[in-house]
């Protein structure tokens, strides 16, 4: 389990094994957990006349037995085409980044994803604890819940989504990142929230017009000193969120985030503005 956890967050791992069968067992465990992208290097009897280094896939490793004196090195190779790590699609993103993964690392529908810059600020505002509980309401692609699960390794994130097609995307993204502490909850908030563990942090990315009712339940269930973060792209949602938090007596602050991304035009760099996002952060003091 410790090796699998390390493999989820690193592109290069060295393992001191204790038997000739252990590389086979490790390869089997990684493949069963969906971590098939590693190349394996088994270094046998180093410094002796029988020294040997074998380079092979995990699938090949699980079919072999090695010398009891061996070291296993696991490496994910960089993408073969275009761009640097972090922008290369499913096998090219930097899996050992702490948070703020590129949008291209996630499967999503029609751009329905909390964009990476906004996601990074949102995760910072959530003040996640290592063993904390997060509710991600209106999870969409599950990007916030998945990143939260990677940060709060001893905690739990609930990805709450009503749309069945997006549930399939969340499942795909969870498998891609190999996170085991993200649970998918298919249903509508606030009704679906009753049986979940009380949260330390709540992120609301979508509310389907039920924001006040959702906030009422979240505020009641939120643990002391817990935080609620709401992302709004319209002034109507911003007003609804702030009015509801005032009504609930929850202190809050709001930031307006304006992102512009560079774009090459005629050998010059221009900036293309993105829609502003309002990030509302509330805290439960008692």
């Amino acid at each position: 389990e410790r090796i699998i956890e390390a493999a989820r967050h690193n592109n290069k791992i060295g393992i001191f094994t204790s038997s000739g069968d252990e590389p086979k067992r490790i390869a089997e465990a990684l493949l069963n957990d969906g971590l098939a992208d590693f190349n394996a290097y088994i270094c046998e009897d180093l410094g002796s006349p029988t020294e040997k280094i074998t380079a092979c896939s995990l699938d090949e490793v699980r079919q072999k037995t090695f010398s009891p004196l061996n070291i296993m090195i696991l490496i994910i190779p960089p993408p073969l085409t275009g761009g640097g790590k972090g922008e290369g699609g499913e096998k090219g993103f930097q899996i050992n980044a702490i948070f703020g993964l590129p949008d291209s690392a996630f499967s999503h529908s029609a751009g329905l994803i909390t964009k990476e810059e906004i996601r990074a600020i949102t995760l910072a505002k959530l003040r996640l604890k290592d063993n904390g509980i997060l509710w991600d309401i209106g999870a969409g692609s599950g990007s916030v819940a998945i990143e939260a699960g990677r940060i709060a390794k001893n905690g739990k994130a609930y990805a709450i989504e009503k749309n069945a097609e997006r549930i399939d995307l969340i499942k795909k993204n969870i498998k891609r990142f190999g996170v085991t502490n993200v649970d998918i909850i298919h249903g509508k908030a606030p009704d679906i929230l009753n049986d979940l563990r009380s949260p330390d942090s709540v992120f609301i990315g979508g509310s389907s017009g039920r924001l006040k009712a959702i906030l009422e339940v979240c505020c009641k269930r939120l643990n002391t000193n817990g935080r609620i973060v709401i992302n709004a792209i319209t002034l109507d949602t911003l007003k609804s969120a702030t009015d509801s938090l005032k009504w609930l007596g929850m202190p809050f602050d709001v930031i307006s985030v304006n992102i512009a991304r560079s774009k090459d035009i005629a050998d010059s760099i221009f900036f293309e503005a993105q829609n502003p996002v309002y990030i509302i952060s509330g805290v439960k003091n008692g």
Side-chain angles (χ1 to χ4, degrees):
E1 290 180 358
R2 291 172 62 190
I3 292 170
I4 290 172
E5 181 65 20
R8 292 193 189 113
H9 299 282
N10 296 278
N11 288 358
K12 185 184 295 182
I13 308 166
I15 305 163
F16 290 96
T17 63
S18 58
S19 74
D21 287 332
E22 205 156 84
K24 181 190 302 185
R25 292 167 51 209
I26 292 167
E28 191 75 42
L30 292 170
L31 289 168
N32 288 340
D33 209 72
L35 298 168
D37 292 340
F38 284 95
N39 290 338
Y41 301 85
I42 312 302
C43 309
E44 303 172 79
D45 298 328
L46 294 179
S48 75
T50 57
E51 177 177 303
K52 181 182 178 182
I53 298 176
T54 304
C56 51
S57 68
L58 292 179
D59 189 58
E60 291 170 322
V61 171
R62 65 178 176 177
Q63 301 174 46
K64 298 177 182 288
T65 299
F66 300 91
S67 165
L69 297 175
N70 74 77
I71 296 171
M72 187 177 190
I73 308 296
L74 300 172
I75 299 174
I76 292 183
L80 297 177
T81 59
K85 254 180 147 183
E87 304 297 335
E90 185 165 336
K91 291 189 178 181
F93 56 85
Q94 183 81 315
I95 65 169
N96 61 351
I98 297 173
F99 71 98
L101 294 166
D103 297 341
S104 60
F106 297 93
S107 295
H108 53 90
S109 174
L112 294 175
I113 181 173
T114 302
K115 300 299 188 292
E116 59 191 84
E117 298 90 354
I118 302 300
R119 193 182 332 122
I121 296 171
T122 297
L123 289 163
K125 290 289 187 179
L126 284 166
R127 308 285 197 270
L128 298 169
K129 301 190 296 185
D130 180 67
N131 61 347
I133 305 298
L134 168 79
W135 291 357
D136 177 2
I137 299 174
S141 66
S143 62
V144 171
I146 288 169
E147 291 226 48
R150 285 164 53 85
I151 296 168
K153 296 179 183 179
N154 295 309
K156 172 76 72 176
Y158 294 100
I160 302 155
E161 176 56 54
K162 67 175 185 176
N163 185 291
E165 292 182 3
R166 293 174 198 158
I167 290 290
D168 290 338
L169 290 174
I170 298 171
K171 289 179 180 177
K172 184 176 181 180
N173 287 325
I174 286 174
K175 182 177 181 181
R176 177 177 296 175
F177 284 92
V179 289
T180 58
N181 60 345
V182 177
D183 286 358
I184 300 173
I185 309 297
H186 187 192
K188 294 182 179 180
D191 311 327
I192 203 72
L193 304 176
N194 296 327
D195 296 328
L196 304 183
R197 292 169 62 185
S198 294
D200 300 289
S201 307
V202 176
F203 170 62
I204 303 176
S207 61
S208 299
R210 308 180 76 185
L211 183 55
K212 183 176 181 180
I214 291 171
L215 282 171
E216 186 174 6
V217 172
C218 290
C219 184
K220 182 179 179 180
R221 293 286 309 281
L222 191 66
N223 292 327
T224 302
N225 297 320
R227 298 180 67 84
I228 296 176
V229 176
I230 309 149
N231 284 2
I233 59 173
T234 69
L235 292 173
D236 287 343
T237 303
L238 172 62
K239 179 169 174 41
S240 176
T242 54
D243 285 350
S244 297
L245 292 172
K246 288 176 184 176
W247 173 66
L248 291 165
M250 178 175 281
F252 65 89
D253 62 68
V254 183
I255 62 171
S256 175
V257 182
N258 296 272
I259 300 292
R261 291 180 174 170
S262 64
K263 189 174 183 179
D264 292 335
I265 300 177
D267 296 326
S268 296
I269 296 178
F270 291 81
F271 285 88
E272 186 174 61
Q274 309 295 303
N275 288 330
V277 177
Y278 307 102
I279 300 179
I280 307 105
S281 306
V283 60
K284 184 175 181 178
N285 292 327

